[in-house]
Amino acid sequence: MEGGGADAANRVCRPRSAAEARQEVEFALYPLRCAPDARYRTAHLAGVQDATLVASELVGHVLHHGAALSRDCFLVCSLYRDEITISVTDPCDEPLPAFPDAPDPGRTGLAGGGWWLVHQVADQVQVVQLAEGGRSITAAVPLSGP
């Protein structure tokens, strides 16, 4: 995950739904769609589906497990040259497995499928417990050109 720099563009919001989270990612990726360089326009097309999926799963988890706490959910999208990082901060202290297993419909249904999917799509996933309670989950989704 790249650090903040002069070439980073950030969007911060409090999504009330997974659909709002997807929309914020699309807004964050908009500069790529308008780029004069074809490589960056292609990166937008390659990355938008993965990035919106990751944002949707992370925010959806917060809303599913604590709908009343959704007002404390923050989404930050940071666009860099080769990746977009999606960070979701929520008040939940529930531990998450560092390396989730693929969902097994016969054993557990699809429980944990979204967390597994985030790990499949993102290059890096980082969970940080916050001193004031809650956690911040950051996923770096690669943007690749032609």
Side-chain angles (χ1 to χ4, degrees):
M1 286 178 246
E2 296 187 32
D7 64 345
N10 297 313
R11 290 196 58 87
V12 179
C13 74
R14 284 180 145 165
R16 293 173 299 205
S17 68
E20 275 187 32
R22 290 189 298 272
Q23 186 176 35
E24 287 300 320
V25 169
E26 290 174 3
F27 287 151
L29 289 170
Y30 186 76
L32 292 180
R33 181 183 298 166
C34 301
D37 186 330
R39 178 183 182 276
Y40 295 112
R41 287 194 306 272
T42 302
H44 168 76
L45 296 174
V48 71
Q49 291 178 335
D50 288 347
T52 56
L53 175 66
V54 166
S56 185
E57 288 297 333
L58 293 178
V59 169
H61 177 79
V62 173
L63 298 176
H64 177 73
H65 291 285
L69 303 173
S70 65
R71 68 186 177 284
D72 296 322
C73 174
F74 287 93
L75 171 71
V76 178
C77 299
S78 300
L79 179 61
Y80 302 96
R81 196 174 246 316
D82 296 322
E83 71 181 17
I84 183 169
T85 60
I86 299 159
S87 297
V88 175
T89 302
D90 72 71
C92 185
D93 289 318
E94 167 191 332
L96 292 167
F99 302 101
D101 294 329
D104 181 355
R107 185 172 45 95
T108 60
L110 295 178
W115 186 234
W116 175 81
L117 196 57
V118 166
H119 279 265
Q120 297 304 303
V121 172
D123 271 357
Q124 295 177 323
V125 179
Q126 185 176 52
V127 180
V128 176
Q129 295 303 128
L130 304 174
E132 63 274 12
R135 63 183 173 213
S136 178
I137 302 170
T138 302
V141 178
L143 300 172
S144 57

